[in-house]
Amino acid sequence: MNELQLSYETYLSDFCEAIFAREFVSRGLSHCRTARWRTGIDRFAEDSLGTIVSAEENSSSQAAVVQVGESLSLVNLNEGFVSIRMATQEPGVDRLLEHFRRVFPPAEHVEKQVVDVRFWRSNNEGCARSSNRSINVPSWGEIQGNYPGSTVDLLSPCSKTSAPATTGS
């Protein structure tokens, strides 16, 4: 008799996501909101999060299911970004979002040019995962010496353009 064997590659947040989903359903929560931003915080301060239901961590990220009052949140802190899925019984999570913005203050704008990039990858089973990285981008003045004069003449006008007023959609 042939036997079917399944395997599943798990990631840090998978365990907390499963617990969050189970608790979301068992507690009868009906409203959910997600927020994500860059933060200067790189480790949880567990005493300021709320009541931790479950937590996981590895060398570069942390995940936790947190109870604040009657709400439940899944918090992921990874490489300078925090993403939070907040679940409540009633609509509106503004106070809860304010709580997490105090715990994970948005990173201050730095004059250094940094671009946030999301990298996607897939394993052999077709499971897609992403990770975020911040890449330092030198100014044109810092790197134009790496190019021949004819290229500098052509590209220099492009470096004087300003950022677009809005992002693409």
Side-chain angles (χ1 to χ4, degrees), residues 44-56 63-68:
F44 286 165
E46 294 184 7
D47 57 338
S48 63
L49 277 177
T51 303
I52 295 179
V53 176
S54 177
E56 297 284 336
V65 176
V66 178
Q67 181 172 332
V68 177

Side-chain angles (χ1 to χ4, degrees), residues 16 37 39 41-57 61-77 82-86 95-105:
C16 286
W37 62 89
T39 183
I41 305 298
D42 61 353
R43 304 291 299 163
F44 286 165
E46 294 184 7
D47 57 338
S48 63
L49 277 177
T51 303
I52 295 179
V53 176
S54 177
E56 297 284 336
E57 70 178 278
S61 60
Q62 291 180 285
V65 176
V66 178
Q67 181 172 332
V68 177
E70 297 299 314
S71 69
L72 191 69
S73 298
L74 173 61
V75 180
N76 286 298
L77 185 59
V82 62
S83 61
I84 304 172
R85 190 175 309 151
M86 300 161 280
R95 287 188 4 191
L96 188 57
L97 183 56
E98 288 172 16
H99 163 75
F100 286 116
R101 286 203 182 267
R102 283 190 303 275
V103 174
F104 302 103

Side-chain angles (χ1 to χ4, degrees), residues 1-40:
M1 176 176 189
N2 291 337
E3 189 174 306
L4 176 65
Q5 293 183 345
L6 299 175
S7 66
Y8 179 72
E9 184 174 342
T10 60
Y11 291 84
L12 171 65
S13 62
D14 290 340
F15 299 108
C16 286
E17 284 183 25
I19 291 168
F20 177 80
R22 181 192 71 200
E23 292 297 313
F24 182 91
V25 171
S26 68
R27 295 176 185 212
L29 301 174
S30 56
H31 295 83
C32 198
R33 178 176 173 189
T34 301
R36 181 178 176 272
W37 62 89
R38 173 189 287 285
T39 183

